[in-house]
Amino acid sequence: MTNLRADVEKALGWRMSDAMWEDLAGDGEAMSQRTDRAAVRRELVTAIKQRMAIYGHTPATRADGPTPSMRPTTVSASARIDALSAIYAAWANSDSKVEWFRRSYLVPQDTPEYEAWIAGRGDYPDFQLLPPEDVNQWIMDHFNADSSDSNGTRHIEALLTARRPSENPVVDLWYIANHRELALTVDSRWTLGDLAKISMDIAGTYQWRQSEAATFVLTGRQPEVFVYTGSASILHGATAACSRVTMTLDPFLTPDQVADIYSRLKARLHSGPIKSLSEKHYRLAQHIGPHVASRVDHPRRTGRTGRPLQAGPTGLAHFIEPADGATWQSLRRDWNNLYGHRTGRGGKAWHYDYQNHANFIRDAKKAFERLLFPPWKRPDESE
């Protein structure tokens, strides 16, 4: 399943969220038993694209960790972060869990001092922190060393396949290498599992990012204390409007600083301002929503007459059509009965007469789409 997911993500060109993969896991589990891997990958890629192809909306993901630091802009607030970061790093250097890990795993074993200790002729040598450029290689060496055949990916796949429902033999290790935040699923019982658990623990204690905590344990590089953490649960498809941003805030922040941080966090999820719909358009979406069906399909695969719908980047188009006996005519007539007497800004009537029937369909579809399918983008594309 791990390799199947990696194959699918490679074909898509972007990383799926756990929520999206879990949504497909039932199909994926069954498909993973089939021998034609290429066919399985194509079927899953097609299924995902069909769910995502809403007028070219970007594939969405869920960011479970805090976003990169967005410091408050005042000098005093920035100085407070620096002070806390320096003090907490000093405390963490003396943390018993950190000391244990470093003395257990960061002591070179190819030195005369270590050989002397083995022979009983010297003290246990001191640990040596890693240069930042060696972090990724050190982690990958241990990742593969956990496997009997030196293939860490195959080892993790076997653990996931054989686990019982109540077991969790793996854990996600977040770390920083080559100026990038990376994540690796590792065996929870061995070296990298210990590193993941220690980094989660001290990150929670000192309000550090988990990846920076792991890198601190290995290299001693001082993490920055967060005065806030923010995560985005960006959903896909028909539940995109249920996406949420969660912030955990330092109580020292002022209301203006909180507003500034939220504004910048939101900007990471969209390339431009998202305008709220007018009351009329919200009412249009409310009016037609329960009486239409929404689907994605090939632009010409429809019984409608006229010009085919425009396809998005996936080659599929978004269809919004009346269902359960409703028609656009009946929806317009009922709309006029309910809201035709109302007017908007500038005195413009909400009523749609027969000559404006096409405008009613256009406005209703647009309102439905903008309400349910906001164009959020993946946090990792927001840099």
Side-chain angles (χ1 to χ4, degrees):
M1 282 293 290
T2 302
N3 285 340
L4 177 60
R5 177 172 175 175
D7 287 348
V8 171
E9 289 177 335
K10 183 177 180 181
L12 289 168
W14 44 268
R15 181 181 169 191
M16 284 183 290
S17 68
D18 291 339
M20 183 183 293
W21 182 248
E22 289 167 5
D23 195 28
L24 297 166
D27 297 333
E29 290 283 2
M31 289 180 171
S32 66
Q33 307 303 318
R34 289 165 44 185
T35 57
D36 190 349
R37 194 176 191 86
V40 171
R41 184 181 66 246
R42 286 194 298 271
E43 290 178 32
L44 284 174
V45 168
T46 299
I48 294 168
K49 284 184 175 182
Q50 287 178 337
R51 299 180 190 203
M52 298 305 303
I54 307 298
Y55 279 99
H57 286 318
T58 308
T61 190
R62 181 175 58 197
D64 293 317
T67 63
S69 176
M70 292 183 187
R71 285 189 170 210
T73 54
T74 63
V75 174
S76 60
S78 184
R80 181 173 183 267
I81 294 172
D82 290 340
L84 289 174
S85 298
I87 293 169
Y88 289 162
W91 290 358
N93 273 319
S94 301
D95 187 289
S96 60
K97 296 181 291 296
V98 174
E99 289 186 333
W100 169 83
F101 183 91
R102 288 171 171 174
R103 289 179 59 81
S104 298
Y105 300 119
L106 297 183
V107 173
Q109 300 182 8
D110 56 354
T111 63
E113 291 80 6
Y114 189 83
E115 293 177 0
W117 175 75
I118 289 292
R121 297 193 301 270
D123 295 331
Y124 188 70
D126 198 6
F127 61 83
Q128 293 183 14
L129 296 175
L130 300 177
E133 62 269 19
D134 291 349
V135 167
N136 196 60
Q137 188 61 55
W138 188 92
I139 286 176
M140 294 312 301
D141 287 345
H142 283 79
F143 178 69
N144 290 316
D146 288 344
S147 173
S148 59
D149 63 355
S150 299
N151 187 314
T153 300
R154 191 152 48 226
H155 174 64
I156 295 300
E157 184 177 28
L159 285 176
L160 291 172
T161 302
R163 69 175 174 178
R164 295 173 181 156
S166 59
E167 294 178 339
N168 189 17
V170 299
V171 64
D172 287 338
L173 170 65
W174 289 85
Y175 64 101
I176 295 173
N178 301 320
H179 308 289
R180 296 176 57 208
E181 185 177 53
L182 304 173
L184 186 68
T185 300
V186 301
D187 190 326
S188 63
R189 302 167 297 177
W190 306 116
T191 305
L192 299 183
D194 288 337
L195 178 59
K197 286 179 276 191
I198 290 172
S199 63
M200 283 188 282
D201 185 38
I202 61 175
T205 299
Y206 298 117
Q207 291 301 304
W208 289 344
R209 194 181 194 157
Q210 189 178 325
S211 57
E212 291 191 345
T215 305
F216 165 80
V217 174
L218 297 176
T219 70
R221 191 178 79 173
Q222 176 182 300
E224 182 176 289
V225 170
F226 281 99
V227 294
Y228 96 100
T229 56
S231 63
S233 179
I234 303 301
L235 304 182
H236 56 278
T239 57
C242 294
S243 298
R244 293 293 182 266
V245 169
T246 302
M247 298 174 64
T248 303
L249 302 165
D250 185 329
F252 271 84
L253 292 171
T254 66
D256 287 343
Q257 289 169 340
V258 172
D260 177 60
I261 290 171
Y262 173 70
S263 177
R264 285 184 282 163
L265 174 60
K266 186 176 177 181
R268 291 173 53 79
L269 308 176
H270 191 263
S271 56
I274 295 183
K275 295 181 179 179
S276 177
L277 296 177
S278 66
E279 181 193 0
K280 172 189 173 182
H281 284 86
Y282 280 128
R283 294 301 181 192
L284 271 171
Q286 176 188 4
H287 177 68
I288 73 160
H291 308 292
V292 299
S294 174
R295 63 185 175 89
V296 290
D297 208 335
H298 293 285
R300 296 183 179 278
R301 192 175 296 167
T302 177
R304 67 192 291 273
T305 59
R307 195 173 187 180
L309 292 180
Q310 183 178 359
T314 61
L316 302 175
H318 184 203
F319 292 86
I320 301 171
E321 299 165 333
D324 300 328
T327 65
W328 287 119
Q329 288 84 356
S330 67
L331 290 172
R332 180 175 60 83
R333 182 180 62 249
D334 293 342
W335 166 265
N336 287 334
N337 290 336
L338 288 170
Y339 298 106
H341 63 284
R342 297 193 55 179
T343 57
R345 290 183 179 178
K348 188 174 182 180
W350 288 17
H351 184 275
Y352 289 90
D353 55 28
Y354 179 77
Q355 288 76 17
N356 290 318
H357 181 67
N359 292 344
F360 170 77
I361 298 175
R362 178 202 64 200
D363 292 349
K365 285 184 176 182
K366 184 176 180 180
F368 181 83
E369 290 166 359
R370 288 186 60 189
L371 173 66
L372 293 182
F373 307 108
W376 302 118
K377 62 181 178 181
R378 294 181 291 158
D380 60 337
E381 289 188 342
S382 304
E383 296 295 336

